[in-house]
Amino acid sequence: MSIIVNVDVMMAKRKMSSQELAERIGITQANLSILKTGKAKAIRFSTLEAICQALDCQPGDILEYKI
């Protein structure tokens, strides 16, 4: 069981670079990279909200639960 983070998929669909997304949501590229690779242990709702706003998507587009 695991949570899959699909930020990179949504970024590709929106043709947005890591640098641009990091700047828009106010986090470092290093922290965005940790999130994209699934190594993050937690995510703040405010960060998730900012990502959804920047990528014009829903939280379910970014987070996926795999059994």
Side-chain angles (χ1 to χ4, degrees):
M1 293 185 275
S2 62
I3 302 292
I4 308 299
V5 181
N6 293 317
V7 172
D8 53 345
V9 173
M10 291 306 298
M11 287 173 51
K13 287 182 179 180
R14 303 297 190 254
K15 297 182 173 128
M16 188 177 296
S17 69
S18 293
Q19 181 179 354
E20 183 180 355
L21 181 59
E23 288 173 2
R24 284 188 182 195
I25 64 176
I27 65 172
T28 65
Q29 281 188 271
N31 283 338
L32 180 58
S33 177
I34 290 168
L35 182 62
K36 284 174 35 180
T37 59
K39 294 181 181 178
K41 299 296 180 194
I43 182 170
R44 292 183 177 167
F45 282 130
S46 59
T47 303
L48 182 59
E49 181 180 3
I51 291 170
C52 289
Q53 185 175 19
L55 294 175
D56 189 30
C57 65
Q58 294 294 313
D61 296 327
I62 294 173
L63 301 175
E64 179 181 353
Y65 177 67
K66 290 275 185 164
I67 297 176

